[in-house]
């Protein structure tokens, strides 16, 4: 393992088909006034809302509701939420939903008691809250697996006026205090969203895996998670109510992005940077923005990290290595990824998400470029990858 790191994760997880039975107890550790944040109403249709309200009652809470969090939550919605949190002087935020709702809850948690422009400070300038600043604690009930937001400090906010979608990774103080993970809650997800979440999870693992060249335990953990996600996804797309598959997907998604498999490593994240720029232009579903550019991106950078891509083919996809050059093997691994994307029904083309050739220059300009993958991309290379993904 390279480098020096501190590992701690403050989020307590309650997992399983009876996980919600712990919610009332978990809530008892926090103040009386709870801001209940949720999305467009799926929780009212699938019964999750009723479970949550019953637990809030049992725990003796006073509830203020803040519904209507959209996918890819916006700055305008954030500004609405911070006013509600502040005016009601809430003690705790309970986020019930997918990554968008949980990300949004974290954003409200840090922004509510800050008087200035929160977007500019936390997302554009990437500042952290200072010690002593008031942060409202957050808890989560997860209804969609994929982002890992239930056990991390990530909060992605979109500013449509500026064509920008930016993720801020906050520190431990902003991680959810607890998360309730009931795989059955994900059964009502539309097929498209389930698949998007599966690819998002896979992409988080690949973003951390495709960087560095030392022998690291983190990469072996990543390989195990990828194998589990692939196996479970193939079951879940045919049989969405298969508890074994959906529970594995939920657990893998949490561990894919709760900092564990990135320890001691550099990390790439360029697929996400391109995906976020596509999202800023099209408001497309996050996981699909990733699936539609991944194959072109990995084919483009493969030669700079050949041995890792060959290992990916061999270990993750079980492709026999005998008689093949490293390049051939590596390339077959990316072919296997492309086949899997088609098999599970994730998007393979950005044109299917509303991207037009005229948008490519703007999307490339809006892409934040990191230098920790196998190749630091130039804006021209991003345009080429986008053209290949059309
Ligand atoms: O709004 P509701 O009615 O809840 O419907 C949602 C939404 O339409 C629906 N849904 C969720 N659970 C459901 C359900 N429908 C039926 N039954 C259920 N059980 O699914 C739709 C998508 O939900 P959303 O929360 O938007 O999806 P996801 O979990 O993929 O979150 C996406 C957001 O997370 C950010 C993305 O950029 C995007 O803004 N990310 C956050 C990360 C983090 N915190 O670390 C990392 C990720 O890479 C990602 O960037
Ligand atoms: Zn993601």
């Amino acid at each position: 393992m390279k480098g020096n790191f501190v590992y701690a994760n403050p989020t307590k997880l309650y997992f399983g088909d009876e996980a919600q039975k712990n919610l009332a107890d978990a809530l008892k550790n926090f103040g009386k006034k709870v801001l209940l944040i949720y999305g467009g109403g799926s929780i009212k249709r699938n019964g999750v809302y009723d479970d949550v309200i019953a637990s809030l009652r049992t725990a003796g809470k006073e509830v203020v509701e803040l519904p209507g969090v959209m996918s890819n939550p916006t700055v305008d919605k954030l500004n609405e939420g911070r006013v509600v949190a502040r005016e009601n002087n809430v003690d705790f935020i309970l986020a019930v939903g997918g990554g968008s709702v949980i990300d949004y809850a974290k954003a409200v948690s840090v922004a509510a008691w800050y008087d200035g422009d929160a977007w500019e400070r936390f997302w554009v300038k990437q500042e952290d809250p200072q010690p002593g600043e008031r942060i409202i604690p957050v808890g989560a009930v997860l209804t969609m697996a994929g982002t890992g937001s239930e056990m991390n400090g990530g909060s992605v906010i979109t500013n449509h006026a500026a064509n920008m979608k930016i993720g801020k990774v906050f520190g431990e103080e902003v991680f959810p205090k607890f998360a309730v993970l009931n795989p059955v809650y994900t059964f009502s997800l539309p097929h498209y969203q389930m698949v998007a979440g599966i690819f998002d999870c896979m992409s988080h693992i690949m973003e951390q895996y495709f960087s560095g060249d030392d022998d690291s335990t983190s990469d072996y953990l990543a390989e195990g998670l990828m194998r589990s996600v692939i196996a479970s996804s193939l079951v879940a797309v045919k049989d969405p109510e298969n508890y074994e598959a959906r529970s594995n997907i939920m657990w893998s998604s949490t561990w894919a992005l709760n900092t564990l498999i990135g320890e001691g490593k550099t990390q790439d994240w360029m697929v996400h940077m391109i995906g976020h720029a596509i999202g800023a232009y099209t408001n497309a579903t996050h996981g699909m923005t990733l699936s539609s550019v991944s194959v072109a991106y990995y084919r483009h950078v493969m030669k700079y990290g050949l041995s890792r891509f060959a290992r990916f083919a061999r270990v993750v996809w079980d492709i026999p290595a005998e008689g093949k050059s490293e390049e051939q093997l590596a390339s077959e691994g990316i072919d296997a990824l492309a086949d899997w994307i088609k098999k599970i029904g994730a998007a393979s083309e950005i044109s299917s998400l509303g991207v037009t050739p005229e948008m490519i220059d703007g999307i490339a300009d809006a892409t934040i470029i990191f230098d920790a993958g196998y190749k630091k991309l130039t804006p021209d290379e991003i345009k080429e990858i986008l053209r290949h993904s059309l």
Side-chain angles (χ1 to χ4, degrees):
M1 298 294 287
K2 278 191 175 163
N4 297 275
F5 55 84
V6 176
Y7 182 76
N9 193 311
T11 307
K12 183 166 184 172
L13 300 177
Y14 300 95
F15 190 91
D17 62 354
E18 297 189 345
Q20 74 284 0
K21 291 186 176 165
N22 299 289
L23 180 57
D25 258 1
L27 286 164
K28 281 183 185 146
N29 301 321
F30 302 95
K32 194 168 174 62
K33 207 160 192 188
V34 175
L35 181 62
L36 175 63
I37 296 185
Y38 53 96
S42 67
I43 66 165
K44 292 212 168 152
R45 293 187 291 275
N46 60 16
V48 174
Y49 176 85
D50 296 336
D51 285 357
V52 168
I53 290 290
S55 300
L56 284 160
R57 286 219 182 95
T58 306
K61 302 297 179 185
E62 204 178 303
V63 180
V64 178
E65 295 199 20
L66 175 49
V69 178
M70 63 292 282
S71 282
N72 311 316
T74 62
V75 173
D76 293 341
K77 184 72 183 172
L78 170 59
N79 288 332
E80 175 196 327
R82 59 204 287 221
V83 173
V84 175
R86 200 163 160 151
E87 282 181 351
N88 289 284
N89 196 11
V90 297
D91 302 304
F92 189 73
I93 297 174
L94 185 63
V96 184
S100 294
V101 170
I102 304 174
D103 278 18
Y104 175 78
K106 294 175 201 168
V108 171
S109 131
V110 296
W113 293 96
Y114 174 60
D115 288 323
D117 181 340
W119 161 257
E120 192 62 29
R121 178 181 172 198
F122 298 118
W123 284 271
V124 176
K125 294 192 182 141
Q126 295 278 303
E127 284 179 22
D128 286 304
Q130 292 303 300
E133 269 189 76
R134 184 162 171 195
I135 297 171
I136 306 168
V138 172
V141 176
L142 187 65
T143 65
M144 167 161 174
T147 64
S149 189
E150 64 276 13
M151 202 186 191
N152 71 32
S155 173
V156 183
I157 297 295
T158 298
N159 185 333
H160 286 298
N163 273 334
M164 284 166 97
K165 179 175 184 180
I166 305 180
K168 164 69 185 161
V169 181
F170 289 104
E172 268 177 58
E173 68 282 7
V174 182
F175 280 47
K177 302 297 172 205
F178 64 80
V180 172
L181 273 55
N182 183 339
V184 177
Y185 281 1
T186 68
F187 283 4
S188 57
L189 263 175
H191 191 84
Y192 188 83
Q193 293 296 340
M194 176 187 76
V195 171
I198 290 170
F199 194 85
D200 191 22
C201 166
M202 183 72 174
S203 179
H204 295 155
I205 308 170
M206 293 191 291
E207 298 276 26
Q208 295 165 92
Y209 183 70
F210 287 120
S211 182
D213 53 13
D214 59 321
D215 186 50
S216 162
T217 299
S218 289
D219 293 323
Y220 293 90
L221 291 170
E223 288 164 349
L225 287 174
M226 284 191 275
R227 291 179 62 95
S228 173
V229 173
I230 294 161
S232 298
S233 67
L234 296 173
V235 175
V237 290
K238 294 211 175 89
D239 180 13
E241 300 209 356
N242 185 304
Y243 183 83
E244 191 175 54
R246 299 302 290 271
S247 59
N248 285 334
I249 290 165
M250 193 175 222
W251 192 234
S252 298
S253 300
T254 301
W255 286 90
L257 197 53
N258 69 358
T259 77
L260 177 79
I261 66 164
E263 298 301 351
K265 280 184 63 74
T266 51
Q267 304 177 22
D268 182 357
W269 292 106
M270 280 314 299
V271 168
H272 269 68
M273 292 307 102
I274 299 172
H276 282 178
I278 292 171
Y281 270 75
T282 61
N283 203 28
T285 297
H286 172 67
M288 298 308 190
T289 66
L290 309 174
S291 60
S292 56
V293 296
S294 287
V295 172
Y297 173 72
Y298 289 126
R299 287 205 199 288
H300 186 84
V301 299
M302 187 188 91
K303 61 176 178 285
Y304 304 98
L306 206 52
S307 62
R308 179 58 52 90
F309 282 95
R311 175 172 158 178
F312 176 67
R314 201 169 32 77
V315 180
V316 177
W317 299 101
D318 290 327
I319 298 173
E322 300 85 69
K324 288 174 194 157
S325 66
E326 207 173 38
E327 192 167 358
Q328 194 181 349
L329 185 59
S331 179
E332 287 182 19
I334 300 175
D335 293 344
L337 175 66
D339 285 349
W340 178 70
I341 287 172
K342 292 222 165 70
K343 226 181 254 171
I344 62 172
S348 316
E349 287 145 2
I350 54 176
S351 50
S352 72
L353 307 176
V355 176
T356 60
E358 296 70 43
M359 288 181 191
I360 284 183
D361 286 358
I363 292 172
D365 285 344
T367 302
I368 297 167
I369 298 176
F370 292 145
D371 185 17
Y374 290 121
K375 167 78 174 71
K376 183 177 180 188
L377 295 182
T378 63
D380 281 344
E381 287 177 301
I382 296 173
K383 288 175 200 165
E384 195 185 322
I385 290 163
L386 288 166
R387 274 193 293 270
H388 277 124
S389 306
L390 269 171

